[in-house]
Amino acid sequence: MQPLVSIIMGSTSDLPVMDKAAKLLDELEIPFEINALSAHRTPAEVETFAREAKDRGLRVIIAAAGIAANTTLPVIGVPIKGMLDGLDALLSIVQMPPGIPVATVGVNGALNAALLAVQMIALSDETVAQKLANYKDGLKQKIVKANEELAATQYKFKC
């Protein structure tokens, strides 16, 4: 099995957040890999990873660590809530210099990062597109069911 998506964390302390991306990719049967690579503590390894990513068949990188400068693949940044409620991480991603684009999801938004990666892959893979459509339909069905249950809930002054 060849990974299509790579999930990169600066350290394993980011795993509780990034695990949401891994679980969604697993649910949708999208092959992925997950690694801890630090742009600050292992810069040579990050550079090698980024330069070789496309040749290894990866299509999208989800990153909570700096990687975008050394790859032509789309990178989706996930700001991790830390010292300033994630504002510091968010600002570091959205202020990338010209020529180094990074898509950005909300703070701790690894699930949305995975969905965005799946949407990118679905553009050229009909099987993935159908899995994505089924997933989105499932979201709709959850809300429809929740609304039906809410309508049946009794309150003394509910009209």
Side-chain angles (χ1 to χ4, degrees):
M1 192 166 30
Q2 180 72 32
L4 299 178
V5 178
S6 185
I7 301 171
I8 305 297
M9 300 172 277
S11 75
T12 56
S13 65
D14 296 335
L15 185 57
V17 171
M18 300 306 272
D19 185 57
K20 292 173 181 70
K23 286 181 177 173
L24 179 79
L25 294 170
D26 215 38
E27 177 184 338
L28 297 180
E29 300 175 334
I30 308 296
F32 70 96
E33 63 184 22
I34 188 166
N35 292 290
L37 294 170
S38 171
H40 302 290
R41 291 172 284 196
T42 59
E45 288 83 350
V46 168
E47 184 176 341
T48 299
F49 170 85
R51 290 190 190 281
E52 296 175 354
K54 187 174 182 181
D55 290 339
R56 292 191 308 108
L58 291 171
R59 308 257 308 269
V60 183
I61 298 170
I62 298 171
I67 205 158
N70 294 304
T71 186
T72 59
L73 291 175
V75 175
I76 304 167
V78 179
I80 302 292
K81 186 175 183 176
M83 293 177 33
L84 299 173
D85 283 337
L87 181 61
D88 53 334
L90 176 65
L91 292 175
S92 72
I93 296 172
V94 299
Q95 295 185 76
M96 294 298 291
I100 312 296
V102 176
T104 309
V105 295
V107 174
N108 286 0
L111 178 68
N112 276 348
L115 281 168
L116 183 55
V118 171
Q119 287 175 305
M120 290 174 179
I121 293 167
L123 290 170
S124 61
D125 186 322
E126 189 54 42
T127 301
V128 173
Q130 187 57 55
K131 289 177 184 179
L132 178 62
N134 293 344
Y135 176 83
K136 293 232 175 182
D137 187 55
L139 293 177
K140 174 186 172 187
Q141 296 309 317
K142 285 179 186 177
I143 294 299
V144 167
K145 182 179 178 190
N147 195 44
E148 290 170 356
E149 291 170 358
L150 185 59
T153 303
Q154 298 294 315
Y155 295 97
K156 186 175 178 181
F157 288 97
K158 179 181 166 196
C159 298

